[in-house]
Every structure is written in structure tokens, then in C-alpha cells.
């Protein structure tokens, strides 16, 4: 087993995940969110697709046994363990613009979008290529009648985690969330481990 | 007022829509779906974003008054009229692969994805750049408790329509849906008008 790595609060990172390796994303203190992106390491135009994954899963709540598909309908990551069961795959990572929109009274922050863009830039990923992320532990409720979306505090507790198996060689982007509404108003680190 | 143009069943088209022009998408016979994409005509890397649009609208059911945003958080299309009120912005256009997945007993079809890719190719849009579409009249129910997605027949009746105003110069991709589950098992044309 490899070391656990910390992503400091309001920051992000990028790394290679080889086919067959597992990625464990841990919420070490609870009630925190980690935005996850995946790109085919050999062809960056192939990228995680919320629309394809939701279509195949036939649910908005992906958990153990579900697959995150690419825009080419190929499996990128399989969820093989999940102690939480509530993650979001509807919303894009918050950005400077979304901060300005939702938190006009707070100092603006580049958000998970800016953190992912900075972490992925050395890998050759342009900011425009960042799609809707798989937002680990993010708790977005949908009212099935009205359609209204509500961003609620995560239900994750300290030590909760989700485990993915890579189905191809991937470049992963991963953050510790920067948006107050997504994590109950607190900013905390995220941890991950590659095995 | 310009002429109304028909998109034959199970096909697609692409055209320019200048800033300030309106696009009316019409369901001439009822219970049919039209997948809509938008790209900045001056910079194809700027594209319609479901994740941004849902985030700003705070609902999955976009209708009159809502805006379809780009991946750069800029307004691309404003919905200025809508006689239906139920459209989907969660699922990607069906493709050869999704046909194979959902309809293994039917002859495979390239679907709206293939039709959009073919129509947009002369405009310089690569298939990998096709994101989640705004699926006019598509009726996707979400169970807020379980998360389960159900693709139901559209509630649109003959002559129902939705009207968009372009907020920048756009390349539009538009289809008449090819997937049995999305349109109640029938294949029909879609009509549109640019004013």
C-alpha cells in the first residue's frame, strides 16, 4: 500500500493513474468535496462524460458497481467501493465566474475549476476542455417535481472514502473544494491514495 | 418571418445563428425530441455547458427566462418562449454505442450523436467535442430519492415550440431524434425557423 497524499484546502493536483490501479479518495475530516476529472493519458480528447455515464447508469446517484464513461462510451473508472453513496455528476467545478455569481460578497476564488486548470495545464489540458466533474461527496438534491437543485452539505464523515479502478491509463485531476455551499461553509483538505 | 425548415426524421443539420437572431424549434407532430448544440462561431472551443447552465439556473428543468451558458460562463442562448416546459439537459445524444447498449435487438443507428457529428464536421467541430446537448422536448424524470432517471415520452403536442435568442454568433447543431425511448417509439421530423 502506498502513502496517503494530502491535497491542501482549496487546491488541486493532477497525476497519472495506470490501467488496473486503484484510486482511493478520502474525506479525512468529513463534510468536504473533491472534484475529480479523468482524461485518456494517450489521447486527451477522450474525457470523462457525465451525460454518457448518467445515461448508462440510469441514475444520477452513482456508487459501487457504476462506471464513469468517456465521451467515446468507453469505461474510464469503475467505482469499486463507496462508504458514502452520495456524489454529484451534474455540476461543473466552481470557477472565478461562479464565485462572483453565487458569493458576490466573498473575496473571489478561482475555485476547483481554476485549480484543475492550473494542475492539468502541464499535462496539456486546456481550460476549455474541462467538463462536468465527478464531484466526490458533493450532495446535490434534485426535486423530481419542480426540478430544483439544492447544494447541501455532504453526508460524508471523517474517514469516508470512495475507490475507483482505472480501466485505461488516465490523467486524473483532483481537488479539495473551495466553494462554501458545497462543504457546509468550511474548507478542509482531501486525501488520496494510489494502489 | 423566414421560412420554416424541416429536419427529416432521424437526421440532423448545422447552421449559423447570428447574435440577436431567434431560433424557433417546433415539434410539428408532437412527442418528438430535438437535440440542440451551440458553439461560439468565432472560437469553437467555447461550447454549450450543461454543468454551468444547471448550476446557474438551480434547476434541471430550464424554460422561459433561463439561459444556456458556455463552458466560459457566458450566455449563448436565452430561452424567450416555451410552450412545453419540459426539456432535458442531463443526457448526451444517443450514438451507435448507446443504441447497441439500449436497443440490442434493433438495427443500430448512428443516432443524434452521429447526425450531429456529420452535420458539424464541415464547420470544424470534432466528434469528441460534442458535449451534453440541450434536448428540446425530451422528457427525463428524476426520482429525487433514489436518483433513478426515466426517459419518458415527451409531453409536447403538435405545434409546440421553444424559442431561443442568440447572445453571440453561434454555430447550431440540431436533430430530429433517432432513439425509440425518447419519442414514444416513433420517428418524426422536427421543424425550425430563424428570424
Amino acid at each position: 500500500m502506498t502513502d496517503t497524499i494530502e491535497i491542501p484546502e482549496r487546491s488541486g493536483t493532477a497525476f497519472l493513474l495506470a490501467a488496473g490501479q486503484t484510486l482511493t479518495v478520502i474525506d479525512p475530516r468529513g463534510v468536504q468535496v473533491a472534484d475529480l476529472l479523468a482524461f485518456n493519458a494517450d489521447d486527451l480528447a477522450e474525457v470523462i462524460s457525465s451525460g454518457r455515464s448518467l445515461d448508462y447508469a440510469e441514475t444520477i446517484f452513482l456508487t459501487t458497481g457504476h462506471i464513469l464513461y468517456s465521451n467515446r462510451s468507453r469505461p474510464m473508472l469503475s467505482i469499486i467501493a463507496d462508504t458514502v453513496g452520495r456524489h454529484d455528476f451534474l455540476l461543473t467545478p466552481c470557477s472565478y465566474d461562479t464565485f462572483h455569481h453565487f458569493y458576490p460578497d466573498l473575496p473571489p476564488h478561482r475555485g476547483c475549476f481554476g485549480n484543475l486548470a492550473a494542475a492539468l495545464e502541464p499535462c496539456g489540458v486546456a481550460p476549455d476542455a474541462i467538463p462536468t466533474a465527478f464531484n466526490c461527496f458533493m450532495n446535490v438534491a434534485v426535486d423530481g417535481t419542480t426540478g430544483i437543485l439544492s447544494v447541501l452539505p455532504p453526508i460524508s464523515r471523517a474517514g469516508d472514502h470512495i475507490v475507483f479502478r482505472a480501466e485505461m491509463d488516465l490523467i486524473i485531476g483532483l481537488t479539495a473544494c473551495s466553494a462554501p455551499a458545497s462543504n457546509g461553509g468550511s474548507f478542509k483538505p482531501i486525501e488520496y491514495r494510489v494502489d
Side-chain angles (χ1 to χ4, degrees), chain A residues 36-40 44-53 67-72 74 76-77 89 129-135 164 170 172:
Chain A
L36 179 146
L37 293 178
F39 297 82
N40 177 346
L44 296 175
E46 184 168 16
V47 59
I48 196 173
S49 168
S50 60
R52 283 271 175 267
S53 303
I67 294 170
L68 309 191
Y69 284 89
S70 77
N71 53 346
R72 296 178 190 165
R74 300 200 305 160
M76 298 191 103
L77 291 161
F89 211 4
I130 293 178
T132 298
F134 185 79
N135 303 304
F164 305 89
L170 296 170
I172 298 290

Side-chain angles (χ1 to χ4, degrees), chain A residues 33-191:
Chain A
V33 165
D35 289 5
L36 179 146
L37 293 178
F39 297 82
N40 177 346
D42 299 318
D43 184 350
L44 296 175
E46 184 168 16
V47 59
I48 196 173
S49 168
S50 60
R52 283 271 175 267
S53 303
L54 297 178
D55 201 9
Y56 289 128
E58 301 185 56
T59 175
I60 61 169
F61 296 141
L62 275 60
T63 185
T64 307
H66 287 123
I67 294 170
L68 309 191
Y69 284 89
S70 77
N71 53 346
R72 296 178 190 165
S73 281
R74 300 200 305 160
M76 298 191 103
L77 291 161
S78 297
I79 304 176
I80 59 173
D82 178 11
T83 66
V84 178
R86 181 58 63 93
H87 315 279
D88 172 66
F89 211 4
L90 300 181
L91 304 182
T92 34
C94 59
S95 67
Y96 185 91
D97 295 305
T98 51
F99 254 79
H100 187 73
H101 178 91
F102 288 110
Y103 312 106
D105 298 331
L106 291 185
H109 190 275
R110 67 181 184 177
C112 282
F113 182 88
N115 287 330
L116 287 164
L120 289 164
E121 190 275 334
C123 307
V125 175
D128 283 333
I130 293 178
T132 298
F134 185 79
N135 303 304
C136 306
F137 317 127
M138 189 174 182
N139 184 10
V140 177
V142 176
D143 183 310
T145 305
T146 64
I148 289 175
L149 291 167
S150 306
V151 178
L152 304 173
I155 60 173
S156 50
R157 301 185 207 183
D160 271 334
H161 56 274
I162 179 170
V163 186
F164 305 89
R165 184 182 63 232
E167 304 298 348
M168 63 174 75
D169 291 343
L170 296 170
I171 293 172
I172 298 290
L174 191 65
T175 69
C177 171
S178 310
S182 301
N183 52 27
S186 65
F187 305 118
K188 287 163 286 195
I190 283 289
E191 293 176 353

